[in-house]
Amino acid sequence: MKSQMPQQLVSSALGKLRPRPGDLIEIFCIGYEHWAIYVVHLTAPSEEFEAGSITSIFSNRAVVKYSRLEDVLHGCSWKVNNKLDGTYLPLPMDKIVQCTKQMVNKMVHYNLIEGNCEHFVNNLRYGVPRSQQVEHAMMEGGEAARAIISAVMDTIKPKPATA
């Protein structure tokens, strides 16, 4: 009879830490990152769109679902990413778990810019609805807009008279 290694050791050997209650999970999908919190996540209402897909951006509502990690991944890679622990103090674990459980199967407002899955999980872990994905996109968009405005202004600026 084979002896079994503890799950934490098996996961570490595979290069992944198994998520624990309260951990944020970043899922790398093509073109965006989806976020879950051990393993509760936002998904599109299934009657409107395919559950768990990027199509949820076309809806203003989402359903909070509890799922097995494998069912959320849809073949994408992932990692435990509590990246804001250095910025914010996580709420007590029992409060995170209690609040997370209370949200399961509820319909919530969804907005790609102000209320997406990253906002949702950060609010549950830290009490702060924050999305660095949106923040980075806004900064890059702002830089692009400044470059375009600068180029347009350069074309309409009066040229100095030549002697």
Side-chain angles (χ1 to χ4, degrees):
M1 186 167 158
K2 282 184 177 176
S3 66
Q4 293 186 340
M5 292 176 65
Q7 184 61 40
Q8 191 68 26
L9 292 177
V10 172
S11 299
S12 295
L14 297 173
K16 298 261 189 215
L17 291 176
R18 288 301 297 173
R20 296 176 313 220
D23 276 341
L24 300 185
I25 303 164
E26 184 175 16
I27 303 166
F28 302 97
C29 305
I30 297 173
Y32 69 104
E33 287 83 43
H34 182 56
W35 287 83
I37 185 167
Y38 185 79
V39 176
V40 171
H41 66 114
L42 293 181
T43 187
S46 59
E47 69 272 7
E48 294 179 37
F49 303 104
E50 179 185 336
S53 74
I54 193 170
T55 55
S56 62
I57 67 170
F58 301 114
S59 177
N60 64 353
R61 331 180 270 156
V63 179
V64 180
K65 290 290 182 186
Y66 176 80
S67 305
R68 292 178 331 128
L69 179 59
E70 295 75 21
D71 295 336
V72 178
L73 294 177
H74 300 287
C76 299
S77 62
W78 64 278
K79 72 176 181 179
V80 171
N81 190 353
N82 299 317
K83 65 183 177 180
L84 294 177
D85 280 6
T87 305
Y88 303 107
L89 183 65
L91 297 170
M93 194 59 52
D94 58 336
K95 182 172 179 151
I96 296 172
V97 171
Q98 178 187 12
C99 290
T100 301
K101 284 181 179 179
Q102 289 173 349
M103 295 299 299
V104 173
N105 294 324
K106 293 206 172 160
M107 187 77 67
V108 296
H109 177 74
Y110 182 89
N111 178 291
L112 185 62
I113 304 299
E114 298 171 347
N116 65 37
C117 57
E118 189 177 6
H119 290 102
F120 175 74
V121 299
N122 282 321
N123 195 41
L124 286 170
R125 183 171 176 86
Y126 306 107
V128 179
R130 185 170 173 193
S131 173
Q132 289 184 314
Q133 206 170 180
V134 169
E135 291 167 9
H136 293 147
M138 297 293 245
M139 279 183 16
E140 290 171 10
E143 289 172 13
R146 280 191 291 280
I148 291 168
I149 291 168
S150 177
V152 168
M153 294 305 288
D154 283 347
T155 62
I156 61 174
K157 189 182 341 178
K159 304 290 185 229
T162 55

